[in-house]
Amino acid sequence: MGAEADKRCIVFLGPPGSGKGTQAEILAAEMEIPTISTGEMLRAAVSAGSELGERVEAVMASGALVDDDLMAEVVQARLEHDDTDGGFFLDGYPRTEIQAAHLDRILGEVGGRLGGVLFVTVPEEELVRRALARGRGDDRSEVIHERLRVYREQTAPLVAHYDSRGLLHRVAGHQAIEEVTDEIRRIVGALAA
Ligand code: AP5
């Protein structure tokens, strides 16, 4: 890492279908930094038929979460790449209290820092509507409801966790994509100031 590097991590947190991935991609392209999406990484591993893919395929298809220790290995290996040295977005990680602790440790080990957490909120009926309209492999009705249940149980507690650390920024995700992007751009701009 060079002397000017600021390996700042901005996390996108929110329920499935809230638009985390969409927004992270748009802003990352604008800011010329990478977006690291754990869902995308796992789907790529499944498509490639790798050992990782074989381990996670059934879990993902069911709507459950992949094991925390395995996720920590995947994320740490990715954050060691120097393309993250100028900052990066993290989409879909952390998703449990244990993963939040793992992220703190990993950032310490790779010389990164947590700059903020963007919490994208959308009413539940709209989340279901979006997923059904998209039709990804895990967008079947029963799996969507399971992903939402898992989110409420395991991921939603991270909102209070990061709020108490002064890192949480709420984003109204139930607007046109461009309006959500504008809101996030303002928040990220203020973080940088
Ligand atoms: P992941 O890929 O992270 O799926 P998810 O959290 O369920 O998120 P989605 O991709 O469904 O939603 P999103 O919020 O990114 O919205 P998107 O932009 O795509 O994870 C998949 C699985 O991998 C998990 O279930 C788990 O098994 C495993 N996994 C991943 N990370 C893990 C971790 N950390 N630990 C353990 N397991 C893990 O948008 C959704 C749709 O809405 C799109 O069609 C989009 O075009 C549309 N849309 C977006 N914004 C708007 C808008 N403003 N208005 C209208 N439509 C919109």
Side-chain angles (χ1 to χ4, degrees), residues 2 9 14 27 31 38 46-48 64 76 78 91-92 95 100 109 112 127 141 155 165 170 174 184-185:
C9 169
L27 270 300
M31 294 170 66
T38 47
V46 171
S47 299
Q76 177 144 9
R78 180 63 186 86
D91 160 30
R95 278 165 122 104
E109 288 178 13
L127 299 173
S141 177
T155 309
R165 292 170 61 179
R170 286 168 204 275
H174 195 15
I184 296 176
R185 197 184 288 114

Side-chain angles (χ1 to χ4, degrees), residues 135-162:
R136 200 171 68 194
D138 57 351
D139 285 339
R140 284 174 295 117
S141 177
E142 67 277 19
V143 182
I144 296 166
H145 285 98
E146 176 61 9
R147 282 158 58 207
L148 286 167
R149 190 191 67 73
V150 168
Y151 168 80
R152 282 192 295 270
E153 190 179 289
Q154 302 195 50
T155 309
L158 295 183
V159 173
H161 171 99
Y162 286 121

Side-chain angles (χ1 to χ4, degrees), residues 14-24 37-40 42-43 56 59-68 71 75 91-96 99 120 122 126-127 129-131 133-136 138-139 143 147 173-178 180:
S18 54
K20 308 180 292 294
T22 301
Q23 295 298 332
S37 158
T38 47
E40 290 296 331
L42 296 174
R43 275 187 291 279
V56 303
V59 178
M60 292 178 75
S62 74
L65 293 182
V66 173
D67 173 74
D68 289 330
M71 289 311 304
V75 169
D91 160 30
Y93 190 90
R95 278 165 122 104
T96 66
Q99 291 185 9
V120 186
V122 171
E126 170 68 5
L127 299 173
R129 196 194 63 73
R130 287 184 188 177
R134 177 175 57 181
R136 200 171 68 194
D138 57 351
D139 285 339
V143 182
R147 282 158 58 207
H174 195 15
Q175 316 176 64
I177 289 176
E178 304 71 34
V180 182

Side-chain angles (χ1 to χ4, degrees), residues 69 72-73 76 93 100-110:
D69 289 335
E73 278 175 39
Q76 177 144 9
Y93 190 90
H102 284 166
L103 178 61
D104 290 338
R105 174 185 57 74
I106 293 168
L107 287 174
E109 288 178 13
V110 303

Side-chain angles (χ1 to χ4, degrees), residues 8-21:
R8 179 180 70 164
C9 169
I10 295 180
V11 167
F12 281 78
L13 176 70
S18 54
K20 308 180 292 294

